[in-house]
Amino acid sequence: MTVTASNAGEITPPADLVSCTIDGIDIQVPKGTLIIRAAEQIGIEIPRFCDHPLLTPAANCRMCLVEIVGQPKPQPSCAIIVGADMEIKTANTSTVADLAQRGVMEFLLINHPLDCPVCDKGGECPLQNQAMSHGNGESHFHGVKRTFPKPIAISSQILLDRERCVSCARCTRFSEEIAGDPLIELIDRGAQQQVAIAEDKPFDSYFSGNTVQICPVGALTSKDYRFRARPFDLVSTPTACEHCASGCALRTDERRSKVMRRLAWDDPEVNEDWNCDKGRFAFRYLDEDRLTHPLVRDENGDLVVASWPEAIAIAAEKLTAARGTTGVITGGRVTREDAYAYGKFARVALGSDDIDFRSRATSDEETKLLRAVVAGSELGVTYGQIEQSPMVLMVGLEPEEESPMIFLRLRKGVQAGTATTAAISSWSSPGFTKTGGVVLAAAPGAEAQVLAALGSADSSLSDAAKNVASALNEDGAIILVGERLASQPGGISAATALAAATGASLAWVPRRAGERGALDAGALAGLLPGGRPITEASARSEVAVTWGVSPEELPTEPGLTVEGIIEALTTVPGAEVDGVAEGTATEVVVDVEGAGDTDSVDVEPADSEQAHGDPIDEEFEPRITALVLAGVEIDDFPNPDLFRTALLEASVVISLETRLSGIEAYADVVFPVAVDTERAGSYTDWEGRVRTFGQVVAEATTIPDGRVLAMIADAMDHSIGSGEPLPMRRELDQLGSYVGPRPDGPSATAPVKATPSSGKAVLASWRHLLDNSILATGEDYLAGTARAPVARMSAATAAGIGASDGALVTVSNDIGEIVLPLVLTDMPDGVVWVPGNSPGSTVNASLGVVPGAVVDISQGGQV
Amino acid sequence: MAELPGPVKGFSTTFFTMFRKVNTEQYPEQKEMFPPKPAFHGRHQLNRHPDGLEKCVGCELCAWACPADAIYVEGADNEEDDRHSPGERYGRVYQINYLRCILCGLCIEACPTRALTMTNEYELADTSRESLIYEKEDLLAPLMPGMVEGPHSMVEGMTEQDYYNGKVTQATPEQVAEVAQRNEFVLADALKAAQADDNDANGNEAGPSPWGSA
């Protein structure tokens, strides 16, 4: 006490600091700090169950009781803010606090079943640990414990064992405060208090797995990890999530070379302590149906197992013959290092710049945006900024479905009152609703008009839109452009223009984890690593030095993007004769993609790119004859049939895959490659932040993509280095980012769309987080928590076809149809929304179009 | 007495020993005559409840306690139609590697259900490494009278707790019938498969099956 007094006399703390004494140690902490946090700062551990730094204080468990001198009873340190000159004594120095804590522990254990041997938490359980450190060995209680039937499934993934619960309310607070899905609640009182769900509403939250991780006892467990391992069996590796571009830090636990579980790891700048259920539970694909040997096509046309040297030799021979006319498509899932290897392989070994990392709907506008603004721009808009932004305008992006960490961060900002959101979307999805923002309704294709109106401060704007427009002019305003906007002509250009007009920062949010990294690594036509334009001589020579080639060997003109590659293959004479691409498929695509490319895009690099890329010549020389494909799904392409035709037309198809994907039916050589757990690597998240991960399975013998490419390149008498992830990463990092003139950004105008007539509607769509994704195959428990696929229309549109809420409706075109139950939704008339890739609703595969296309709608149908 | 010469003195010891009782045990011919002491730490055994269900819950505490890392356990969920132990959890995989095991007995001290105990069996030598990794079926205790081989359901009306409190004394007629029925199915399936094989082998069309319309 005397020490405090004398110290307080000598040092005057700054206004925002308060001083206190904990166990006799003086400490100054910022105003508003909880006692338990202050104690942590000086390394004093106070036992706790309900306290969590990212949740509001609850003081439910009473385990953190401390003595505060001058107060009659011990107080919960997790809920009391440090007051000036407070003298706090924890169990270390105070018998009162120690007795109180031991008493609380005894109470908590009265009804606890002590079934640690069968509990998944056993071995890493805060209750187990703190019962040992802060509990008495004996209990005064000799009665009969309260029991419940155990366990009960509160969703298909999450199991609840109510006997073990200590009513800390971490799970319910998480669900309500962080995820915004208050589907679980504490009900009843006293000994009967229990966590429960509403009778007909299971705990189908995208973030439910976090409650398992933060449960301080084994009350919440997951079906996935049930009884599979003990903590001491597991070897943990810090990893990055491969499921989306959010870039979550994870911890992957492996037992005997098999991944047992994944946990969210703490990265305050990115995912904080959380992740989504897909990232946590979808990892069965790592082990299932893996390709183990190279396959080559024999003289009978059958794929047969081959040795590595044989397969490499065949691939090298075929690719040497197709040098200069090979297209490379890597899909959005390859790592940064592999994307770099693909880019280098294309330029050095294949002598081609025809490479793209996008196996999805793209547009020239998007390509221009990426080349001009995004590539090599390093860390741009961050999670921290969106949390503190006066206006985050999302367009072409549904955060909860497409980038769950953006959703959580926005929600955090909105809850704290530091962020405001708005979205341009066809309807106000749960993700938008939970982030509390304004939804400016726009049918797909009309985004550009809304964006333009926001920029022009049009007087015809609604009040809500005016507020959004003025907020966009404030400092720190952000426009998040999702990759989906690429399929809406004029959208990306309008977003860029709006950003320029208002001074808002623009960030491009891809859906897949590897896209941003592949862009920065140069896996896009026209771009060398670090965002270097291939048209700039200085950029080429920098790269040539690192690659050890002469600058003349590098292509000087941008090659074909994915659209161009497919077009070049499918417009060769004879493509129609083949009978595969005839009729509707080709027609529709020409319609849709044509609208995106030629009609609406006003600035087309007329001579250079045309001359380079135009496949139709008088004496026909095919522009593209061979394809190298990696991590590509046929159904990812907006028109899968057209891509199949392209595959048929290509005389050589080399596929690098982790498992059979459908491409092998067209492939000449298939190489098995390593999955993420079998190699080190990195992704770049949407912010531009590099997320590295280590090799989880140390014993893995599979080979990463880059290494396979290096072997093929060697056999072709070119060298791209070893191709191993770490040397590739070093090389890429050494190259750094480009500084210098960049090509122009997109400046297309949107075509005016006619209002669809009755019986027709504009298709709107995005993918659910949990859907038919190939990385979530076999995850039945996870799939059980997915949102049910439904079709959505406005009441007027539905009335137009005589459909009612809940009835089946058919969305069709001349390629196929989707039949789903209808949910009447507040959205523009003449628009129908269906999920992009959910069971019973696969837009690409069934309809072969992108959102914005006009489709037929009718009542009824057969599922 | 006069001093005997050294060699004679030495050989006299040998000579008199020839008439003493022999200490040599004739192993393995006469091993039953010299059983190990009752507390000898020999090969492990996975015990059963009196109705034949396994006591092991797959908790891995034995593996945790093992100083030689000789035990490997994988737990799994008991399903209603595939029950191996009372309660939620059972040991799906249970291996003890006797090349590593030092027979210290820490595992049996750790076992919370007394599923794991040690027998007096000490003959743990073999000619291959594989054969010295004992699997669950090698370690499970033999069926005593009143037990029936799992998986089968628990005794009607009994809880997991009742099993540990000794309220279950033997398999009930229901359990016996359940297992008998299951075995019949297995037998019928095996016969059916054999029949099908027979037909294929003889190149005959499968005639009217004596096992119904399959």
Side-chain angles (χ1 to χ4, degrees):
Chain A
M1 200 126 40
T2 48
V3 179
T4 317
S6 63
N7 272 5
E10 281 159 28
I11 306 160
T12 320
D16 55 346
L17 290 182
V18 285
S19 35
C20 65
T21 315
I22 303 178
D23 287 348
I25 302 169
D26 291 331
I27 176 176
Q28 295 184 336
V29 291
K31 220 172 179 175
T33 306
L34 297 168
I35 295 176
I36 201 165
R37 296 281 103 73
E40 279 169 6
Q41 287 181 21
I42 47 172
I44 293 175
E45 198 198 319
I46 300 176
R48 84 285 304 265
F49 297 109
C50 69
D51 171 68
H52 190 287
L54 296 173
L55 301 174
T56 52
N60 268 13
C61 71
R62 318 304 286 185
M63 194 60 214
C64 64
L65 292 178
V66 292
E67 185 189 350
I68 299 172
V69 174
Q71 300 217 9
K73 285 180 180 176
Q75 300 293 325
S77 60
C78 73
I80 293 189
I81 288 167
V82 173
D85 301 327
M86 219 179 223
E87 193 184 343
I88 298 147
K89 290 180 173 176
T90 73
N92 295 337
T93 53
S94 156
T95 335
V96 175
D98 188 45
L99 267 177
Q101 287 182 358
R102 285 175 187 280
V104 167
M105 179 56 83
E106 200 174 324
F107 274 126
L108 289 177
L109 291 179
I110 280 183
N111 277 318
H112 190 82
L114 298 174
D115 57 348
C116 308
V118 295
C119 177
D120 270 337
K121 205 80 177 181
E124 53 181 2
C125 176
L127 183 61
Q128 234 179 8
N129 295 344
Q130 293 179 48
M132 300 301 282
S133 59
H134 295 85
N136 291 328
E138 297 292 319
S139 174
H140 295 89
F141 180 77
H142 299 291
V144 179
K145 289 187 186 235
R146 167 215 59 191
T147 55
F148 284 116
K150 59 194 272 178
I152 54 170
I154 53 174
S155 75
S156 72
Q157 179 67 268
I158 308 293
L159 297 171
L160 169 64
D161 188 320
R162 291 165 293 175
E163 291 175 6
R164 295 178 188 151
C165 179
V166 293
S167 301
C168 73
R170 271 189 184 181
C171 54
T172 55
R173 277 180 292 152
F174 169 83
S175 300
E176 194 180 333
E177 294 168 15
I178 308 288
D181 296 321
L183 298 167
I184 50 174
E185 198 47 81
L186 280 172
I187 61 162
D188 286 347
R189 291 289 173 269
Q192 289 296 319
Q193 188 170 50
Q194 54 186 288
V195 174
I197 50 172
E199 219 166 293
D200 51 346
K201 272 194 164 175
F203 185 35
D204 289 344
S205 167
Y206 283 164
F207 305 97
S208 60
N210 291 299
T211 60
V212 175
Q213 188 173 342
I214 58 173
C215 181
V217 297
L220 289 165
T221 51
S222 71
K223 267 256 165 101
D224 224 44
Y225 180 64
R226 190 167 162 81
F227 305 156
R228 291 194 74 191
R230 290 278 175 210
F232 60 88
D233 297 324
L234 300 170
V235 180
S236 304
T237 314
T239 53
C241 186
E242 75 281 26
H243 285 292
C244 81
S246 289
C248 292
L250 301 183
R251 190 186 102 184
T252 303
D253 289 350
E254 159 263 325
R255 181 186 195 186
R256 295 204 166 187
S257 304
K258 218 170 148 56
V259 174
M260 288 285 127
R261 66 169 173 185
R262 309 207 300 184
L263 303 174
W265 214 230
D266 184 24
D267 188 337
E269 290 185 316
V270 180
N271 56 318
E272 301 193 300
D273 257 349
W274 322 120
N275 75 343
C276 74
D277 283 3
K278 191 178 185 184
R280 182 180 301 265
F281 295 126
F283 53 78
R284 213 155 278 171
Y285 78 93
L286 294 167
D287 299 311
E288 262 172 33
D289 307 333
R290 289 288 302 281
L291 275 171
T292 49
H293 295 85
L295 305 171
V296 298
R297 201 162 287 283
D298 65 5
E299 57 274 16
N300 301 328
D302 298 327
L303 269 188
V304 291
V305 171
S307 69
W308 275 96
E310 192 185 351
I312 297 276
I314 295 174
E317 186 197 321
K318 287 181 185 287
L319 289 176
T320 307
R323 192 175 149 86
T325 60
T326 305
V328 181
I329 305 174
T330 68
R333 293 188 178 119
V334 300
T335 61
R336 208 166 131 254
E337 293 79 3
D338 283 344
Y340 174 73
Y342 279 104
K344 192 173 174 184
F345 179 74
R347 275 69 178 236
V348 175
L350 301 176
S352 153
D353 190 46
D354 308 320
I355 178 168
D356 205 329
F357 62 88
R358 300 168 297 177
S359 57
R360 53 173 170 85
T362 63
S363 72
D364 207 49
E365 279 178 81
E366 189 193 28
T367 310
K368 285 184 175 169
L369 173 78
L370 298 182
R371 284 183 191 154
V373 182
V374 184
S377 61
E378 298 187 352
L379 195 60
V381 174
T382 61
Y383 281 107
Q385 287 172 13
I386 61 172
E387 189 189 329
Q388 303 289 337
S389 171
M391 174 52 65
V392 180
L393 176 65
M394 289 166 279
V395 51
L397 174 72
E398 208 291 349
E400 194 185 17
E401 306 278 10
E402 295 176 313
S403 192
M405 288 309 116
I406 294 186
F407 166 74
L408 287 191
R409 202 52 94 93
L410 283 177
R411 192 162 188 283
K412 186 183 178 195
V414 168
Q415 294 290 97
T418 57
T420 319
T421 70
I424 300 178
S425 170
S426 53
W427 60 285
S428 181
S429 68
F432 294 135
T433 314
K434 283 184 271 181
T435 49
V438 187
V439 173
L440 306 172
E447 290 93 345
Q449 286 153 15
V450 178
L451 285 165
L454 284 177
S456 65
D458 207 325
S459 58
S460 66
L461 285 178
S462 66
D463 286 346
K466 273 182 192 153
N467 291 340
V468 174
S470 67
L472 276 174
N473 285 301
E474 286 176 35
D475 275 354
I478 290 161
I479 302 175
L480 295 180
V481 174
E483 70 167 38
R484 270 191 290 122
L485 196 59
S487 55
Q488 304 314 325
I492 288 182
S493 303
T496 321
L498 180 63
T502 56
S505 319
L506 182 104
W508 174 71
V509 185
R511 212 170 54 82
R512 289 205 171 140
E515 296 218 346
R516 179 70 194 268
L519 176 67
D520 292 342
L524 178 63
L527 278 179
L528 292 170
R532 293 178 173 76
I534 205 162
T535 44
E536 297 288 332
S538 62
R540 280 202 306 277
S541 59
E542 274 174 25
V543 173
V545 168
T546 309
W547 286 359
V549 295
S550 87
E552 290 77 48
E553 283 179 57
L554 295 178
T556 53
E557 290 299 328
L560 300 177
T561 60
V562 61
E563 272 176 306
I565 294 171
I566 296 175
E567 200 185 324
L569 279 165
T570 49
T571 51
V572 294
E576 280 83 6
V577 187
D578 233 50
V580 178
E582 67 177 356
T584 55
T586 326
E587 259 173 51
V588 169
V589 168
V590 170
D591 257 344
V592 171
E593 307 213 320
D597 292 337
T598 42
D599 297 359
S600 60
V601 180
D602 53 357
V603 202
E604 184 76 15
D607 29 42
S608 66
E609 202 165 326
Q610 284 301 345
H612 196 65
D614 193 352
I616 300 161
D617 259 353
E618 298 300 30
E619 72 258 355
F620 178 71
E621 252 184 54
R623 174 67 183 77
I624 295 287
T625 61
L627 285 175
V628 175
L629 304 172
V632 172
E633 270 173 79
I634 294 177
D635 284 343
D636 274 347
F637 291 92
N639 186 338
D641 278 340
L642 186 73
F643 184 63
R644 283 195 190 93
T645 313
L647 287 170
L648 275 178
E649 287 303 320
S651 53
V652 179
V653 177
I654 311 288
S655 169
L656 286 84
E657 264 305 344
T658 56
R659 59 196 223 191
L660 295 180
S661 61
I663 302 275
E664 72 281 354
Y666 307 87
D668 298 284
V669 187
V670 181
F671 291 104
V673 290
V675 290
D676 286 354
T677 46
E678 297 162 355
R679 39 82 55 85
S682 60
Y683 293 113
T684 308
D685 73 356
W686 66 273
E687 304 167 284
R689 198 189 297 270
V690 174
R691 313 295 291 159
T692 51
F693 59 86
Q695 181 167 344
V696 174
V697 178
E699 301 81 9
T701 54
T702 44
I703 301 175
D705 298 46
R707 183 78 199 106
V708 178
L709 294 177
M711 291 192 287
I712 301 176
D714 288 344
M716 294 170 76
D717 277 338
H718 292 278
S719 174
I720 63 162
S722 74
E724 292 286 350
L726 296 182
M728 288 283 114
R729 187 190 301 167
R730 262 198 300 279
E731 220 175 285
L732 180 57
D733 291 345
Q734 197 184 347
L735 270 167
S737 293
Y738 173 68
V739 186
R742 283 169 177 269
D744 292 336
S747 55
T749 48
V752 178
K753 290 232 166 184
T755 320
S757 55
S758 167
K760 290 188 179 293
V762 177
L763 179 72
S765 176
W766 55 72
R767 292 187 179 197
H768 281 320
L769 179 70
L770 304 177
D771 62 4
N772 290 343
S773 164
I774 203 158
L775 299 191
T777 43
E779 304 289 353
D780 297 338
Y781 304 132
L782 182 62
T785 65
R787 288 185 178 148
V790 293
R792 293 178 184 275
M793 292 178 207
S794 68
T797 317
I801 57 167
S804 56
D805 201 23
L808 288 180
V809 291
T810 303
V811 177
S812 61
N813 60 10
D814 35 19
I815 293 180
E817 61 172 29
I818 290 172
V819 182
L820 289 175
L822 173 69
V823 172
L824 293 181
T825 308
D826 183 17
M827 60 198 285
D829 293 337
V831 177
V832 58
W833 181 92
V834 294
N837 189 30
S838 292
S841 178
T842 50
V843 170
N844 294 349
S846 305
L847 301 180
V849 294
V850 291
V854 175
V855 290
D856 297 322
I857 48 172
S858 59
Q859 179 202 4
Q862 271 304 227
V863 180
Chain B
M1 201 166 125
E3 190 87 342
L4 282 169
V8 176
K9 196 179 174 189
F11 277 118
S12 67
T13 306
T14 311
F15 181 78
F16 287 116
T17 306
M18 287 165 72
F19 302 101
R20 283 218 193 116
K21 190 174 168 248
V22 177
N23 269 338
T24 312
E25 296 174 7
Q26 290 303 318
Y27 179 88
E29 289 81 7
Q30 296 178 350
K31 61 182 176 185
E32 285 76 19
M33 291 172 62
F34 311 101
K37 294 281 183 275
F40 176 76
H41 285 177
R43 198 208 74 185
H44 299 79
Q45 170 170 291
L46 282 171
N47 297 316
R48 295 174 187 270
H49 287 290
D51 65 350
L53 285 176
E54 294 158 21
K55 282 187 173 176
C56 177
V57 293
C59 73
E60 301 191 30
L61 281 175
C62 47
W64 199 345
C66 182
D69 197 10
I71 307 183
Y72 177 76
V73 188
E74 274 180 31
D77 225 335
N78 275 317
E79 304 288 341
E80 262 327 303
D81 51 353
D82 186 33
R83 174 171 292 285
H84 297 260
S85 72
E88 294 173 65
R89 178 170 175 152
Y90 77 103
R92 188 175 64 81
V93 176
Y94 197 100
Q95 298 175 343
I96 297 182
N97 182 345
Y98 282 104
L99 293 160
R100 282 178 162 238
C101 178
I102 53 170
L103 301 171
C104 66
L106 286 178
C107 48
I108 61 169
E109 280 184 40
C111 184
T113 62
R114 282 197 75 66
L116 192 68
T117 52
M118 289 173 114
T119 64
N120 286 347
E121 192 186 324
Y122 52 85
E123 292 176 308
L124 293 167
D126 213 328
T127 50
S128 76
R129 287 167 183 273
E130 291 75 27
S131 60
L132 280 166
I133 298 173
Y134 279 48
E135 297 279 350
K136 192 165 116 177
E137 52 272 24
D138 306 323
L139 295 166
L140 265 177
L143 290 171
M144 301 306 279
M147 294 179 178
V148 282
E149 178 75 51
H152 59 71
S153 47
M154 289 162 69
V155 172
E156 188 79 31
M158 292 286 173
T159 63
E160 188 187 3
Q161 206 62 46
D162 296 333
Y163 271 79
Y164 292 111
N165 291 340
K167 294 188 184 165
V168 174
T169 51
Q170 62 172 23
T172 59
E174 291 82 23
Q175 287 173 312
V176 176
E178 183 190 341
V179 175
Q181 197 188 10
R182 188 192 69 214
N183 290 343
E184 236 166 68
F185 276 130
V186 173
L187 186 67
D189 284 347
L191 282 170
K192 221 185 282 181
Q195 180 88 2
D197 281 354
D198 251 17
N199 286 339
D200 289 352
N202 303 334
N204 294 337
E205 299 253 332
S209 165
W211 309 104
S213 60

